[in-house]
Amino acid sequence: VSGEISVASRQSGRPGLGRVTLVGAGPGAADLLTVRAVRALEQAQVVFYDALVSRETLELAPRAQRFCVGKRAGRPSTRQETIHALMIRAARRGRRVVRLKGGDPFVFGRGGEEMLALASAGVPCEVVPGVSSALAAPALSGIPATHRSLSAAFVVVSGHAETAWGPLLTTLPPGAATVIVLMGLGARGAISAAMVQAGWPRSTPAAVLWGAATAVARRWLGTLGTLPEAQASSVTQDAPGTLVIGEVVALAAVLAPADELEERGEAHAC
Ligand SMILES: C[S@@+](CC[C@H](N)C(=O)[O-])C[C@H]1O[C@@H](n2cnc3c(N)ncnc32)[C@H](O)[C@@H]1O
């Protein structure tokens, strides 16, 4: 579908027409942005940003008009079609637009949909990949996604709906890969039960990583069997969280001592 459309849109570049850059903002801290992302922000005239983008990252676009179009589970949010229309209108007015998204735009970020909408409208667009929380959250908590002799693969799955994670996590051979679940905090009990039922030992190390690379970064370390008991504190109850299940989680206590994850300041809400 998209091959012809996107090539055409990149080449269209009519005089007076702006362009849109989908930029991955990484997991939170501004110093985890890529150099290309920083350049795009410095040159931006309009920025449409998501709820998880930090204030320090937004400050890298000092000359831009900045609009929050964030979505967080269970709260009023900007409709996806409205976001498309806003970007297209700004680009047609000749603006250099940055669409700033948490982590990587193409990892559960609807970046593909947005690029398709822009391409269909004939708006030149490109993507600047970002550091996904799927790998950054474990890494910053001392958990390598792969580790020789412990795990030779990892899977990243959405915990948002059972239809997304169920077919994979109930058929993945126990221990075959490190399991990384985004948007899975609310489903941790169901995920734990399903994996144990599928033959994963209850003793498999597991972690919940809240607010990685933000001021409220915290982690919980336990096992697949105790995963349902992991509780957010008052500090982290509003923070995004990532689940990690697999033998590599056992390295966390050695590679990132707990106190490094517990002495940070305040978070920024959209
Ligand atoms: C809609 S998905 C977007 C993922 C994003 N595109 C990425 O690549 O990181 C949002 C989920 O990412 C995870 N997440 C985002 N930021 C995080 C952070 N700083 N720490 C831990 N998990 C995070 C959480 O699972 C959250 O529910």
Side-chain angles (χ1 to χ4, degrees):
V1 199
S2 58
E4 289 173 23
I5 298 176
S6 60
V7 170
S9 77
R10 280 197 202 101
Q11 291 171 346
S12 63
R14 293 200 314 268
L17 184 62
R19 60 184 302 109
V20 177
T21 309
L22 258 65
V23 174
D31 56 0
L32 285 175
L33 286 162
T34 64
V35 174
R36 197 179 294 184
V38 173
R39 286 196 189 121
L41 284 168
E42 286 170 350
Q43 291 167 8
Q45 295 169 304
V46 181
V47 175
F48 296 110
Y49 63 98
D50 276 351
L52 293 177
V53 171
S54 69
R55 182 174 297 144
E56 56 172 334
T57 300
L58 288 172
E59 284 168 2
L60 295 170
R63 288 188 296 275
Q65 287 182 290
R66 293 172 282 188
F67 301 97
C68 180
V69 291
K71 303 195 233 340
R72 293 297 306 271
R75 301 190 200 159
S77 55
T78 313
R79 291 176 59 236
Q80 191 63 40
E81 295 72 22
T82 307
I83 296 172
H84 296 171
L86 289 168
M87 289 192 291
I88 291 166
R89 190 172 66 185
R92 285 184 175 156
R93 288 180 176 167
R95 304 289 195 274
R96 278 192 300 275
V97 179
V98 162
R99 174 73 174 106
L100 191 57
K101 305 172 86 68
D104 181 89
F106 285 176
V107 177
F108 304 129
R110 303 189 76 163
E113 275 172 65
E114 295 185 4
M115 257 184 115
L116 281 173
L118 292 162
S120 298
V123 172
C125 50
E126 64 184 329
V127 63
V128 176
V131 176
S132 177
S133 59
L135 292 177
L140 293 169
S141 302
I143 303 171
T146 66
H147 188 81
R148 205 148 60 95
S149 81
L150 291 182
S151 176
F154 60 87
V155 298
V156 179
V157 64
S158 165
H160 179 64
E162 202 275 342
T163 48
W165 57 262
L168 178 69
L169 298 188
T170 56
T171 54
L172 188 66
T178 303
V179 173
I180 299 167
V181 187
L182 301 192
M183 299 177 283
L185 285 179
R188 60 189 181 273
I191 289 172
S192 161
M195 290 178 71
V196 169
Q197 173 79 19
W200 288 67
R202 291 177 59 81
S203 59
T204 307
V208 183
L209 313 168
W210 287 277
T214 75
V216 296
R218 294 286 188 283
R219 81 177 173 203
W220 170 93
L221 299 176
T223 66
L224 185 58
T226 58
L227 185 57
E229 296 159 27
Q231 292 297 336
S233 68
S234 56
V235 181
T236 52
Q237 62 188 0
D238 212 25
T242 291
L243 314 179
V244 189
I245 300 154
E247 293 301 328
V248 289
V249 174
L251 295 171
V254 183
L255 298 185
D259 54 354
E260 288 182 13
L261 292 163
E262 281 159 10
E263 292 176 356
R264 311 263 167 95
E266 277 179 17
H268 157 65
C270 171

